[in-house]
Amino acid sequence: MNITKFKKIMAANRGEIAIRIFRACTELGISTVAIYSQQDRLSLHRYKADEAYLIGKGKGAIDAYLGIDEIIDLARKKNVDAIHPGYGFLSENAEFSAACERAGIAFIGPTPDIQRRLGDKVSGRKVAVEAGVPIVPGTNDPVRTEEEALIFAKSAGYPIIVKASAGGGGRGMRVAQNQKELLEGLRSAASEAKASFGDATIFLEKYVKNPKHVEVQILGDKHGNLVHFYERDCSIQRRHQKVIEIAPSLYLTPKKREELCSYALKIANSVGYINAGTVEFLMDKEENVYFIEVNPRIQVEHTVTELVTLRNLVQAQIRVAEGYKLSDPEIGIKSQKDIELRGFAIQSRITTEDPDNNFAPDFGTIKAYRTAAGFGVRLDAAAGYAGAVITPDYDSLLVKISTWGLTFLDASRTMHRALQEFRIRGVKTNIGFLEKVITHPVFLAGDCDTSFLEKHPEVFE
Ligand code: ADP
């Protein structure tokens, strides 16, 4: 297979992930193209690229980044060789990757066919079953009627979780303890899913009690080679959304780790997975592991994996899309053995949310912004400077702090120190809340499951 070296890459995204992509490109000597909406005309990602173009004139802030034809037309006019979709927006849209292919522009991610097979949760579950990987007991197909839901409830028992097949970011999910909540949940999850993802398809799973969320990072090339980069623990969640992520997990025995990673590779192999992706699992108290979904794209929390494996995942994504084999020096992974774990990493998501007002997004101009720095601290910021204007147009992620330490305790202490060092004035942030979590004895003991924040309301005080 020929190698196509990219000269120019567009990030079809905004915020911190667009900047993350530009940094990877610049280090590889590839020039960068940003797109920005009218609402983002002052945003940092625009200024971090070699070229930047306004898109979506007259459209809403989100819709501007969803205009497939406009983005591809622009990329063609500006001689873009490849598009990196980041996360969110068009990153899992098979129509978009197919349109890139048709336009002769490389899509830095899996093929449209792989995206279709894994992109929604119902079809992902089918792939897992065929690959011999355990899934959470649930409905095999979308649930279309109340009757179908009640039949499942009768056989599985409560609690049940109603989930949107197209769901993401914790949206389109309802936990039901009884029949009344199930019937309500069906309606509200479907309408939330329709509004958020344009797809009201719903299915049901047995609600696993107080599980841990563990996920495996994978990377495949176009030549049939696949590796994993071990796991991340993302159990600290608020409303099913990740808040703090850790790599590697603190409680997997070597045998369990091996099992989890081999499940991830089985699923990936069964579809001939290409590029970076994440296979997500839940693990219950008895250490039963259940597949939940595949995210066929780079994830917010990829930074912690980069820190513990010393591998640049975004650069590897680009190299794979150029046609390199994993074993080529440009990627440098001759075999699975080359991926080694060193120490521990933690990521905290600093958001412009007001913990005193039920984490409502806060807006305004950042008046003062002093960052943390020093040994073991990595920052990936979107609007990290004094004068930046935070508007209601986009999600509230302001900066990701990732810390590294030889032990989990070292990484936690560095995170605590970094959080204390930060000064952000002008908008409210969740820093105080993150500090309470990071110093909590249950956190330090590595015992958090997905119910941690619910069970410890003191961290919100
Ligand atoms: P999303 O795509 O919105 O992130 P996921 O399917 O990845 O949704 O689930 C997000 C979180 O919701 C999980 O990490 C877990 O905390 C919770 N969750 C999802 N499915 C179940 C389940 N069957 N039982 C218990 N918790 C679940």
Side-chain angles (χ1 to χ4, degrees), residues 177-209:
Q177 302 291 348
N178 51 49
Q179 179 168 328
K180 183 165 169 278
E181 288 178 8
L182 176 62
L183 297 180
E184 269 168 22
L186 284 178
R187 275 186 288 275
S188 62
S191 67
E192 188 174 306
K194 181 80 188 152
S196 308
F197 316 108
D199 178 355
T201 308
I202 290 294
F203 71 106
L204 305 177
E205 278 177 1
K206 180 91 186 136
Y207 188 64
V208 181
K209 247 184 143 199

PDB file of all heavy atoms in Angstrom, residues 177-209:
ATOM      1  N   GLN A 177     -36.598   2.300  38.112  1.00  0.00           N
ATOM      2  CA  GLN A 177     -36.668   1.353  39.241  1.00  0.00           C
ATOM      3  C   GLN A 177     -37.947   0.543  39.202  1.00  0.00           C
ATOM      4  O   GLN A 177     -38.091  -0.441  39.937  1.00  0.00           O
ATOM      5  CB  GLN A 177     -36.597   2.113  40.577  1.00  0.00           C
ATOM      6  CG  GLN A 177     -35.349   2.967  40.760  1.00  0.00           C
ATOM      7  CD  GLN A 177     -34.072   2.168  40.923  1.00  0.00           C
ATOM      8  OE1 GLN A 177     -34.114   0.942  41.123  1.00  0.00           O
ATOM      9  NE2 GLN A 177     -32.928   2.828  40.816  1.00  0.00           N
ATOM     10  N   ASN A 178     -38.904   0.996  38.411  1.00  0.00           N
ATOM     11  CA  ASN A 178     -40.200   0.304  38.366  1.00  0.00           C
ATOM     12  C   ASN A 178     -40.891   0.600  37.033  1.00  0.00           C
ATOM     13  O   ASN A 178     -40.371   1.369  36.212  1.00  0.00           O
ATOM     14  CB  ASN A 178     -41.080   0.754  39.542  1.00  0.00           C
ATOM     15  CG  ASN A 178     -41.156   2.280  39.601  1.00  0.00           C
ATOM     16  OD1 ASN A 178     -41.416   2.927  38.588  1.00  0.00           O
ATOM     17  ND2 ASN A 178     -40.890   2.840  40.783  1.00  0.00           N
ATOM     18  N   GLN A 179     -42.063   0.002  36.873  1.00  0.00           N
ATOM     19  CA  GLN A 179     -42.765   0.099  35.588  1.00  0.00           C
ATOM     20  C   GLN A 179     -43.104   1.542  35.223  1.00  0.00           C
ATOM     21  O   GLN A 179     -42.950   1.948  34.065  1.00  0.00           O
ATOM     22  CB  GLN A 179     -44.049  -0.739  35.663  1.00  0.00           C
ATOM     23  CG  GLN A 179     -44.846  -0.681  34.381  1.00  0.00           C
ATOM     24  CD  GLN A 179     -45.945  -1.728  34.350  1.00  0.00           C
ATOM     25  OE1 GLN A 179     -45.812  -2.803  34.913  1.00  0.00           O
ATOM     26  NE2 GLN A 179     -47.034  -1.396  33.677  1.00  0.00           N
ATOM     27  N   LYS A 180     -43.533   2.297  36.224  1.00  0.00           N
ATOM     28  CA  LYS A 180     -43.920   3.686  35.948  1.00  0.00           C
ATOM     29  C   LYS A 180     -42.707   4.465  35.403  1.00  0.00           C
ATOM     30  O   LYS A 180     -42.810   5.169  34.392  1.00  0.00           O
ATOM     31  CB  LYS A 180     -44.427   4.316  37.254  1.00  0.00           C
ATOM     32  CG  LYS A 180     -44.932   5.724  37.116  1.00  0.00           C
ATOM     33  CD  LYS A 180     -45.733   6.126  38.353  1.00  0.00           C
ATOM     34  CE  LYS A 180     -46.028   7.613  38.364  1.00  0.00           C
ATOM     35  NZ  LYS A 180     -44.935   8.429  38.854  1.00  0.00           N
ATOM     36  N   GLU A 181     -41.570   4.293  36.070  1.00  0.00           N
ATOM     37  CA  GLU A 181     -40.371   5.017  35.630  1.00  0.00           C
ATOM     38  C   GLU A 181     -39.889   4.525  34.260  1.00  0.00           C
ATOM     39  O   GLU A 181     -39.354   5.293  33.473  1.00  0.00           O
ATOM     40  CB  GLU A 181     -39.242   4.850  36.666  1.00  0.00           C
ATOM     41  CG  GLU A 181     -39.504   5.638  37.925  1.00  0.00           C
ATOM     42  CD  GLU A 181     -38.417   5.464  39.004  1.00  0.00           C
ATOM     43  OE1 GLU A 181     -37.365   4.835  38.729  1.00  0.00           O
ATOM     44  OE2 GLU A 181     -38.651   5.942  40.123  1.00  0.00           O
ATOM     45  N   LEU A 182     -40.113   3.243  34.012  1.00  0.00           N
ATOM     46  CA  LEU A 182     -39.707   2.695  32.713  1.00  0.00           C
ATOM     47  C   LEU A 182     -40.515   3.359  31.589  1.00  0.00           C
ATOM     48  O   LEU A 182     -39.948   3.807  30.588  1.00  0.00           O
ATOM     49  CB  LEU A 182     -39.905   1.171  32.697  1.00  0.00           C
ATOM     50  CG  LEU A 182     -39.617   0.473  31.375  1.00  0.00           C
ATOM     51  CD1 LEU A 182     -38.151   0.643  30.960  1.00  0.00           C
ATOM     52  CD2 LEU A 182     -39.935  -1.023  31.450  1.00  0.00           C
ATOM     53  N   LEU A 183     -41.828   3.433  31.788  1.00  0.00           N
ATOM     54  CA  LEU A 183     -42.672   3.998  30.732  1.00  0.00           C
ATOM     55  C   LEU A 183     -42.385   5.493  30.545  1.00  0.00           C
ATOM     56  O   LEU A 183     -42.321   5.982  29.420  1.00  0.00           O
ATOM     57  CB  LEU A 183     -44.158   3.754  31.045  1.00  0.00           C
ATOM     58  CG  LEU A 183     -44.545   2.261  31.096  1.00  0.00           C
ATOM     59  CD1 LEU A 183     -46.027   2.079  31.416  1.00  0.00           C
ATOM     60  CD2 LEU A 183     -44.188   1.538  29.790  1.00  0.00           C
ATOM     61  N   GLU A 184     -42.130   6.178  31.652  1.00  0.00           N
ATOM     62  CA  GLU A 184     -41.755   7.602  31.551  1.00  0.00           C
ATOM     63  C   GLU A 184     -40.401   7.747  30.874  1.00  0.00           C
ATOM     64  O   GLU A 184     -40.203   8.612  30.031  1.00  0.00           O
ATOM     65  CB  GLU A 184     -41.640   8.208  32.959  1.00  0.00           C
ATOM     66  CG  GLU A 184     -42.933   8.826  33.454  1.00  0.00           C
ATOM     67  CD  GLU A 184     -42.845   9.133  34.962  1.00  0.00           C
ATOM     68  OE1 GLU A 184     -41.706   9.265  35.489  1.00  0.00           O
ATOM     69  OE2 GLU A 184     -43.916   9.207  35.572  1.00  0.00           O
ATOM     70  N   GLY A 185     -39.474   6.872  31.284  1.00  0.00           N
ATOM     71  CA  GLY A 185     -38.107   6.920  30.760  1.00  0.00           C
ATOM     72  C   GLY A 185     -38.069   6.687  29.252  1.00  0.00           C
ATOM     73  O   GLY A 185     -37.282   7.314  28.542  1.00  0.00           O
ATOM     74  N   LEU A 186     -38.914   5.791  28.780  1.00  0.00           N
ATOM     75  CA  LEU A 186     -38.963   5.509  27.334  1.00  0.00           C
ATOM     76  C   LEU A 186     -39.261   6.791  26.569  1.00  0.00           C
ATOM     77  O   LEU A 186     -38.602   7.121  25.588  1.00  0.00           O
ATOM     78  CB  LEU A 186     -40.083   4.511  27.017  1.00  0.00           C
ATOM     79  CG  LEU A 186     -39.855   3.045  27.343  1.00  0.00           C
ATOM     80  CD1 LEU A 186     -41.099   2.247  26.990  1.00  0.00           C
ATOM     81  CD2 LEU A 186     -38.649   2.496  26.580  1.00  0.00           C
ATOM     82  N   ARG A 187     -40.283   7.495  27.068  1.00  0.00           N
ATOM     83  CA  ARG A 187     -40.699   8.722  26.379  1.00  0.00           C
ATOM     84  C   ARG A 187     -39.621   9.803  26.477  1.00  0.00           C
ATOM     85  O   ARG A 187     -39.226  10.386  25.471  1.00  0.00           O
ATOM     86  CB  ARG A 187     -42.008   9.247  26.989  1.00  0.00           C
ATOM     87  CG  ARG A 187     -43.247   8.599  26.387  1.00  0.00           C
ATOM     88  CD  ARG A 187     -44.504   9.253  26.899  1.00  0.00           C
ATOM     89  NE  ARG A 187     -44.763   8.907  28.306  1.00  0.00           N
ATOM     90  CZ  ARG A 187     -45.397   7.793  28.698  1.00  0.00           C
ATOM     91  NH1 ARG A 187     -45.827   6.942  27.795  1.00  0.00           N
ATOM     92  NH2 ARG A 187     -45.585   7.546  29.974  1.00  0.00           N
ATOM     93  N   SER A 188     -39.130  10.039  27.699  1.00  0.00           N
ATOM     94  CA  SER A 188     -38.216  11.183  27.849  1.00  0.00           C
ATOM     95  C   SER A 188     -36.853  10.896  27.218  1.00  0.00           C
ATOM     96  O   SER A 188     -36.251  11.788  26.624  1.00  0.00           O
ATOM     97  CB  SER A 188     -38.090  11.599  29.315  1.00  0.00           C
ATOM     98  OG  SER A 188     -37.550  10.550  30.060  1.00  0.00           O
ATOM     99  N   ALA A 189     -36.389   9.647  27.290  1.00  0.00           N
ATOM    100  CA  ALA A 189     -35.095   9.339  26.655  1.00  0.00           C
ATOM    101  C   ALA A 189     -35.213   9.480  25.141  1.00  0.00           C
ATOM    102  O   ALA A 189     -34.316  10.014  24.478  1.00  0.00           O
ATOM    103  CB  ALA A 189     -34.634   7.927  27.032  1.00  0.00           C
ATOM    104  N   ALA A 190     -36.352   9.008  24.599  1.00  0.00           N
ATOM    105  CA  ALA A 190     -36.531   9.085  23.140  1.00  0.00           C
ATOM    106  C   ALA A 190     -36.580  10.540  22.687  1.00  0.00           C
ATOM    107  O   ALA A 190     -35.956  10.905  21.681  1.00  0.00           O
ATOM    108  CB  ALA A 190     -37.798   8.342  22.713  1.00  0.00           C
ATOM    109  N   SER A 191     -37.290  11.382  23.428  1.00  0.00           N
ATOM    110  CA  SER A 191     -37.390  12.764  22.945  1.00  0.00           C
ATOM    111  C   SER A 191     -36.059  13.496  23.137  1.00  0.00           C
ATOM    112  O   SER A 191     -35.673  14.300  22.288  1.00  0.00           O
ATOM    113  CB  SER A 191     -38.580  13.506  23.572  1.00  0.00           C
ATOM    114  OG  SER A 191     -38.350  13.677  24.933  1.00  0.00           O
ATOM    115  N   GLU A 192     -35.328  13.180  24.227  1.00  0.00           N
ATOM    116  CA  GLU A 192     -34.003  13.806  24.396  1.00  0.00           C
ATOM    117  C   GLU A 192     -33.055  13.347  23.280  1.00  0.00           C
ATOM    118  O   GLU A 192     -32.288  14.132  22.731  1.00  0.00           O
ATOM    119  CB  GLU A 192     -33.415  13.434  25.763  1.00  0.00           C
ATOM    120  CG  GLU A 192     -32.146  14.199  26.097  1.00  0.00           C
ATOM    121  CD  GLU A 192     -31.661  13.923  27.524  1.00  0.00           C
ATOM    122  OE1 GLU A 192     -32.455  14.090  28.469  1.00  0.00           O
ATOM    123  OE2 GLU A 192     -30.495  13.528  27.677  1.00  0.00           O
ATOM    124  N   ALA A 193     -33.138  12.056  22.946  1.00  0.00           N
ATOM    125  CA  ALA A 193     -32.261  11.520  21.900  1.00  0.00           C
ATOM    126  C   ALA A 193     -32.586  12.149  20.545  1.00  0.00           C
ATOM    127  O   ALA A 193     -31.695  12.497  19.775  1.00  0.00           O
ATOM    128  CB  ALA A 193     -32.389  10.006  21.829  1.00  0.00           C
ATOM    129  N   LYS A 194     -33.873  12.314  20.294  1.00  0.00           N
ATOM    130  CA  LYS A 194     -34.294  12.922  19.020  1.00  0.00           C
ATOM    131  C   LYS A 194     -33.747  14.349  18.931  1.00  0.00           C
ATOM    132  O   LYS A 194     -33.201  14.758  17.900  1.00  0.00           O
ATOM    133  CB  LYS A 194     -35.835  12.912  18.960  1.00  0.00           C
ATOM    134  CG  LYS A 194     -36.421  13.488  17.706  1.00  0.00           C
ATOM    135  CD  LYS A 194     -36.379  12.481  16.564  1.00  0.00           C
ATOM    136  CE  LYS A 194     -36.783  13.157  15.260  1.00  0.00           C
ATOM    137  NZ  LYS A 194     -36.190  12.543  14.095  1.00  0.00           N
ATOM    138  N   ALA A 195     -33.891  15.090  20.037  1.00  0.00           N
ATOM    139  CA  ALA A 195     -33.449  16.492  20.041  1.00  0.00           C
ATOM    140  C   ALA A 195     -31.921  16.590  19.953  1.00  0.00           C
ATOM    141  O   ALA A 195     -31.393  17.454  19.255  1.00  0.00           O
ATOM    142  CB  ALA A 195     -33.948  17.190  21.298  1.00  0.00           C
ATOM    143  N   SER A 196     -31.205  15.702  20.647  1.00  0.00           N
ATOM    144  CA  SER A 196     -29.738  15.816  20.692  1.00  0.00           C
ATOM    145  C   SER A 196     -29.052  15.176  19.498  1.00  0.00           C
ATOM    146  O   SER A 196     -28.012  15.653  19.052  1.00  0.00           O
ATOM    147  CB  SER A 196     -29.183  15.152  21.954  1.00  0.00           C
ATOM    148  OG  SER A 196     -29.816  15.626  23.090  1.00  0.00           O
ATOM    149  N   PHE A 197     -29.582  14.048  19.028  1.00  0.00           N
ATOM    150  CA  PHE A 197     -28.852  13.286  18.006  1.00  0.00           C
ATOM    151  C   PHE A 197     -29.660  13.081  16.722  1.00  0.00           C
ATOM    152  O   PHE A 197     -29.195  12.420  15.798  1.00  0.00           O
ATOM    153  CB  PHE A 197     -28.439  11.906  18.551  1.00  0.00           C
ATOM    154  CG  PHE A 197     -27.878  11.959  19.949  1.00  0.00           C
ATOM    155  CD1 PHE A 197     -28.601  11.486  21.028  1.00  0.00           C
ATOM    156  CD2 PHE A 197     -26.633  12.515  20.176  1.00  0.00           C
ATOM    157  CE1 PHE A 197     -28.092  11.557  22.318  1.00  0.00           C
ATOM    158  CE2 PHE A 197     -26.120  12.591  21.465  1.00  0.00           C
ATOM    159  CZ  PHE A 197     -26.842  12.119  22.540  1.00  0.00           C
ATOM    160  N   GLY A 198     -30.884  13.599  16.700  1.00  0.00           N
ATOM    161  CA  GLY A 198     -31.730  13.425  15.518  1.00  0.00           C
ATOM    162  C   GLY A 198     -32.151  11.984  15.317  1.00  0.00           C
ATOM    163  O   GLY A 198     -32.493  11.575  14.206  1.00  0.00           O
ATOM    164  N   ASP A 199     -32.117  11.183  16.369  1.00  0.00           N
ATOM    165  CA  ASP A 199     -32.428   9.766  16.252  1.00  0.00           C
ATOM    166  C   ASP A 199     -33.047   9.321  17.578  1.00  0.00           C
ATOM    167  O   ASP A 199     -32.400   9.392  18.623  1.00  0.00           O
ATOM    168  CB  ASP A 199     -31.122   9.002  15.979  1.00  0.00           C
ATOM    169  CG  ASP A 199     -31.315   7.494  15.885  1.00  0.00           C
ATOM    170  OD1 ASP A 199     -32.440   7.012  16.131  1.00  0.00           O
ATOM    171  OD2 ASP A 199     -30.323   6.802  15.578  1.00  0.00           O
ATOM    172  N   ALA A 200     -34.288   8.864  17.522  1.00  0.00           N
ATOM    173  CA  ALA A 200     -35.008   8.534  18.764  1.00  0.00           C
ATOM    174  C   ALA A 200     -34.902   7.049  19.126  1.00  0.00           C
ATOM    175  O   ALA A 200     -35.586   6.584  20.029  1.00  0.00           O
ATOM    176  CB  ALA A 200     -36.469   8.940  18.624  1.00  0.00           C
ATOM    177  N   THR A 201     -34.021   6.309  18.433  1.00  0.00           N
ATOM    178  CA  THR A 201     -33.932   4.865  18.682  1.00  0.00           C
ATOM    179  C   THR A 201     -33.492   4.578  20.115  1.00  0.00           C
ATOM    180  O   THR A 201     -32.476   5.092  20.583  1.00  0.00           O
ATOM    181  CB  THR A 201     -32.933   4.203  17.704  1.00  0.00           C
ATOM    182  OG1 THR A 201     -33.291   4.592  16.389  1.00  0.00           O
ATOM    183  CG2 THR A 201     -32.957   2.697  17.829  1.00  0.00           C
ATOM    184  N   ILE A 202     -34.284   3.720  20.775  1.00  0.00           N
ATOM    185  CA  ILE A 202     -34.078   3.422  22.193  1.00  0.00           C
ATOM    186  C   ILE A 202     -33.886   1.915  22.372  1.00  0.00           C
ATOM    187  O   ILE A 202     -34.487   1.127  21.645  1.00  0.00           O
ATOM    188  CB  ILE A 202     -35.369   3.856  22.969  1.00  0.00           C
ATOM    189  CG1 ILE A 202     -35.478   5.369  22.990  1.00  0.00           C
ATOM    190  CG2 ILE A 202     -35.456   3.257  24.348  1.00  0.00           C
ATOM    191  CD1 ILE A 202     -34.405   6.059  23.771  1.00  0.00           C
ATOM    192  N   PHE A 203     -33.046   1.525  23.335  1.00  0.00           N
ATOM    193  CA  PHE A 203     -32.990   0.113  23.716  1.00  0.00           C
ATOM    194  C   PHE A 203     -32.840   0.042  25.229  1.00  0.00           C
ATOM    195  O   PHE A 203     -32.702   1.084  25.888  1.00  0.00           O
ATOM    196  CB  PHE A 203     -31.853  -0.619  22.978  1.00  0.00           C
ATOM    197  CG  PHE A 203     -30.479  -0.230  23.438  1.00  0.00           C
ATOM    198  CD1 PHE A 203     -29.710  -1.082  24.229  1.00  0.00           C
ATOM    199  CD2 PHE A 203     -29.928   1.003  23.089  1.00  0.00           C
ATOM    200  CE1 PHE A 203     -28.442  -0.721  24.666  1.00  0.00           C
ATOM    201  CE2 PHE A 203     -28.662   1.372  23.527  1.00  0.00           C
ATOM    202  CZ  PHE A 203     -27.922   0.510  24.313  1.00  0.00           C
ATOM    203  N   LEU A 204     -32.899  -1.169  25.772  1.00  0.00           N
ATOM    204  CA  LEU A 204     -32.866  -1.321  27.228  1.00  0.00           C
ATOM    205  C   LEU A 204     -31.703  -2.206  27.650  1.00  0.00           C
ATOM    206  O   LEU A 204     -31.335  -3.144  26.949  1.00  0.00           O
ATOM    207  CB  LEU A 204     -34.168  -1.966  27.737  1.00  0.00           C
ATOM    208  CG  LEU A 204     -35.478  -1.288  27.351  1.00  0.00           C
ATOM    209  CD1 LEU A 204     -36.659  -2.104  27.892  1.00  0.00           C
ATOM    210  CD2 LEU A 204     -35.526   0.128  27.901  1.00  0.00           C
ATOM    211  N   GLU A 205     -31.141  -1.870  28.818  1.00  0.00           N
ATOM    212  CA  GLU A 205     -30.144  -2.740  29.432  1.00  0.00           C
ATOM    213  C   GLU A 205     -30.503  -2.915  30.897  1.00  0.00           C
ATOM    214  O   GLU A 205     -31.093  -2.021  31.506  1.00  0.00           O
ATOM    215  CB  GLU A 205     -28.742  -2.086  29.366  1.00  0.00           C
ATOM    216  CG  GLU A 205     -28.020  -2.264  28.061  1.00  0.00           C
ATOM    217  CD  GLU A 205     -26.673  -1.533  28.036  1.00  0.00           C
ATOM    218  OE1 GLU A 205     -26.282  -0.909  29.035  1.00  0.00           O
ATOM    219  OE2 GLU A 205     -26.018  -1.588  26.984  1.00  0.00           O
ATOM    220  N   LYS A 206     -30.091  -4.023  31.424  1.00  0.00           N
ATOM    221  CA  LYS A 206     -30.154  -4.204  32.867  1.00  0.00           C
ATOM    222  C   LYS A 206     -29.220  -3.154  33.467  1.00  0.00           C
ATOM    223  O   LYS A 206     -28.128  -2.908  32.939  1.00  0.00           O
ATOM    224  CB  LYS A 206     -29.652  -5.625  33.171  1.00  0.00           C
ATOM    225  CG  LYS A 206     -29.646  -5.970  34.616  1.00  0.00           C
ATOM    226  CD  LYS A 206     -30.957  -6.612  35.015  1.00  0.00           C
ATOM    227  CE  LYS A 206     -30.954  -6.809  36.525  1.00  0.00           C
ATOM    228  NZ  LYS A 206     -32.185  -6.437  37.169  1.00  0.00           N
ATOM    229  N   TYR A 207     -29.647  -2.497  34.548  1.00  0.00           N
ATOM    230  CA  TYR A 207     -28.795  -1.482  35.180  1.00  0.00           C
ATOM    231  C   TYR A 207     -27.805  -2.187  36.094  1.00  0.00           C
ATOM    232  O   TYR A 207     -28.185  -2.814  37.084  1.00  0.00           O
ATOM    233  CB  TYR A 207     -29.664  -0.497  35.962  1.00  0.00           C
ATOM    234  CG  TYR A 207     -28.884   0.688  36.485  1.00  0.00           C
ATOM    235  CD1 TYR A 207     -28.287   1.591  35.604  1.00  0.00           C
ATOM    236  CD2 TYR A 207     -28.745   0.910  37.847  1.00  0.00           C
ATOM    237  CE1 TYR A 207     -27.565   2.674  36.072  1.00  0.00           C
ATOM    238  CE2 TYR A 207     -28.027   2.001  38.315  1.00  0.00           C
ATOM    239  CZ  TYR A 207     -27.440   2.880  37.425  1.00  0.00           C
ATOM    240  OH  TYR A 207     -26.719   3.957  37.887  1.00  0.00           O
ATOM    241  N   VAL A 208     -26.524  -2.117  35.752  1.00  0.00           N
ATOM    242  CA  VAL A 208     -25.484  -2.770  36.565  1.00  0.00           C
ATOM    243  C   VAL A 208     -25.291  -1.915  37.812  1.00  0.00           C
ATOM    244  O   VAL A 208     -25.125  -0.694  37.720  1.00  0.00           O
ATOM    245  CB  VAL A 208     -24.156  -2.875  35.777  1.00  0.00           C
ATOM    246  CG1 VAL A 208     -23.098  -3.578  36.614  1.00  0.00           C
ATOM    247  CG2 VAL A 208     -24.384  -3.616  34.459  1.00  0.00           C
ATOM    248  N   LYS A 209     -25.287  -2.568  38.985  1.00  0.00           N
ATOM    249  CA  LYS A 209     -25.225  -1.795  40.230  1.00  0.00           C
ATOM    250  C   LYS A 209     -23.804  -1.333  40.534  1.00  0.00           C
ATOM    251  O   LYS A 209     -22.885  -2.138  40.581  1.00  0.00           O
ATOM    252  CB  LYS A 209     -25.742  -2.650  41.382  1.00  0.00           C
ATOM    253  CG  LYS A 209     -27.039  -2.070  41.912  1.00  0.00           C
ATOM    254  CD  LYS A 209     -27.570  -2.777  43.105  1.00  0.00           C
ATOM    255  CE  LYS A 209     -28.175  -1.740  44.028  1.00  0.00           C
ATOM    256  NZ  LYS A 209     -28.321  -2.237  45.368  1.00  0.00           N
TER     257      LYS A 209
END
